[in-house]
Amino acid sequence: MNVFNLLNALPGAVAQGLIWGIMAIGVYITYRILDFADLTVDGSLCTGGTVCIMMMLSGHNVFVSMLAATAAGMVTGLATGLFHTFMGIPPILSGILTQLSLYSVNLKIMGKANQAINVDKYSLLVSLRHIKGVVFYRNPIFVVTLGIILVVLVLYWFFGTELGCSLRATGCNENMSRAQGINTNLSKVLALMISNGLVGLSGAFLAQYQGFSDVNMGRGAIVIGLAAVIIGEAAFGRILHNFGFKLIGVALGSIVYYIVLQVVIWLGADPDYLKMFSALVVAFFLAIPHWKKKLFSGALAKKGGGSHA
């Protein structure tokens, strides 16, 4: 195993981690703030990438295309929110229904299973070919880092407003929020729209970075998003207490996740098992709080028994 091969692959892993970090911030909003298990992201990521690529292929500016991708992601969140609030469908099933529908929608938008875009013919904001050998401001790591900082600043401002606080209150205690006059259904729909808008933006970055949009590109996205959230909280939760820094921690968790995957590949693991490995990583980090609680309660029980004796 040549360590230089690993070092050579790390910039690409960091760039991918940052791109998926935007998606992970969206997952954080639903999973942690709203306490809503949203599976829409497996479809909305592809929707964002698909809309961005098709807009650019039809001659639109990259920024307009990415704005349209974000708006398309927000529409998918609106659909899930209406399934849940208006039709009374449970959160998980609402996301599954939207995700299932989006497969057909994404296929229809592209006209076929995938669409490619060439960085030599179109002015892409990020590209895998720009990971090395270009001026720093064209490097995907720099570009996406700026994007994440902008996203975090906007979210930090928004969740400090009255409307943003109502979203957080809805996630903390829905019944109490309703008693205080907050429209919890509106809060849920809005949070889902913001979350999937970010996922759509991430999809737009990802499609440009890899040079194509594919109808299956979002499959398993929720696992990566959860992994980034859990790793970010486990690794940086003790030092990043501010809300804005927590969002940055989620993005850093995504980078850690992709670096770990790169190391696993470098060690010679079969790439066919990567999805299973991702699921096991998420399961492990999700189990840590449970194990801590059992150990803590066990220690207290022993201490209590000893003092009683």
Side-chain angles (χ1 to χ4, degrees):
M1 290 180 292
N2 192 338
V3 71
F4 290 106
N5 291 338
L6 176 62
L7 294 176
N8 196 46
L10 283 183
V14 172
Q16 271 198 296
L18 286 167
I19 290 171
W20 285 90
I22 298 175
M23 184 272 298
I25 292 174
V27 171
Y28 181 87
I29 291 173
T30 50
Y31 181 66
R32 281 291 187 238
I33 297 178
L34 191 62
D35 194 23
F36 189 108
D38 182 28
L39 299 183
T40 312
V41 296
D42 280 25
S44 58
L45 183 90
C46 179
T47 301
T50 295
V51 169
C52 181
I53 294 298
M54 296 309 293
M55 288 279 289
M56 292 193 71
L57 289 176
S58 61
H60 291 86
N61 178 277
V62 62
F63 295 104
V64 173
S65 301
M66 294 183 71
L67 188 63
T70 305
M74 294 182 76
V75 172
T76 67
L78 174 63
T80 300
L82 291 177
F83 278 144
H84 175 58
T85 59
F86 181 70
M87 302 179 70
I89 300 172
I92 292 179
L93 288 178
S94 299
I96 290 174
L97 288 173
T98 307
Q99 176 198 131
L100 184 65
S101 303
L102 287 176
Y103 184 88
S104 298
V105 172
N106 296 334
L107 204 55
K108 188 65 177 176
I109 292 173
M110 288 190 291
K112 55 182 181 178
N114 55 70
Q115 287 280 2
I117 192 165
N118 194 323
V119 67
D120 296 326
K121 296 180 180 179
Y122 297 89
S123 299
L124 304 183
L125 204 57
V126 293
S127 173
L128 177 60
R129 288 167 56 181
H130 291 163
I131 200 68
K132 293 176 183 176
V134 295
V135 289
F136 77 94
Y137 56 81
R138 294 191 67 190
N139 190 297
I141 295 176
F142 176 78
V143 174
V144 183
T145 298
L146 282 182
I148 287 178
I149 292 172
L150 182 60
V151 164
V152 169
L153 288 174
V154 171
L155 290 176
Y156 185 78
W157 165 80
F158 173 75
F159 280 102
T161 64
E162 185 177 347
L163 182 58
C165 288
S166 70
L167 265 64
R168 297 168 76 173
T170 299
C172 288
N173 191 323
E174 184 177 347
N175 293 329
M176 182 61 73
S177 300
R178 196 180 294 114
Q180 294 296 320
I182 295 173
N183 187 333
T184 55
N185 284 341
L186 177 62
S187 296
K188 288 179 181 180
V189 172
L190 187 56
L192 285 164
M193 290 178 68
I194 294 170
S195 170
N196 284 283
L198 290 173
V199 175
L201 176 63
S202 176
F205 271 119
L206 181 61
Q208 291 179 66
Y209 179 77
Q210 62 190 16
F212 67 90
S213 175
D214 185 87
V215 74
N216 291 314
M217 66 184 278
R219 184 170 293 177
I222 186 62
V223 174
I224 298 173
L226 286 174
V229 170
I230 302 302
I231 293 172
E233 289 179 339
F236 309 106
R238 289 184 175 272
I239 56 176
L240 302 176
H241 300 292
N242 179 278
F243 176 70
F245 288 132
K246 284 183 179 179
L247 297 179
I248 293 174
V250 170
L252 293 175
S254 181
I255 295 173
V256 171
Y257 171 82
Y258 267 93
I259 289 176
V260 169
L261 283 188
Q262 196 62 57
V263 170
V264 169
I265 294 172
W266 174 69
L267 290 173
D270 189 340
D272 291 342
Y273 292 116
L274 284 182
K275 292 288 185 184
M276 183 180 72
F277 177 76
S278 303
L280 292 175
V281 168
V282 174
F284 175 77
F285 280 98
L286 282 172
I288 288 177
H290 174 69
W291 291 338
K292 279 185 177 179
K293 186 177 179 181
K294 288 190 73 173
L295 287 171
F296 183 69
S297 60
L300 281 180
K302 286 182 179 179
K303 186 176 179 181
S307 61
H308 180 70

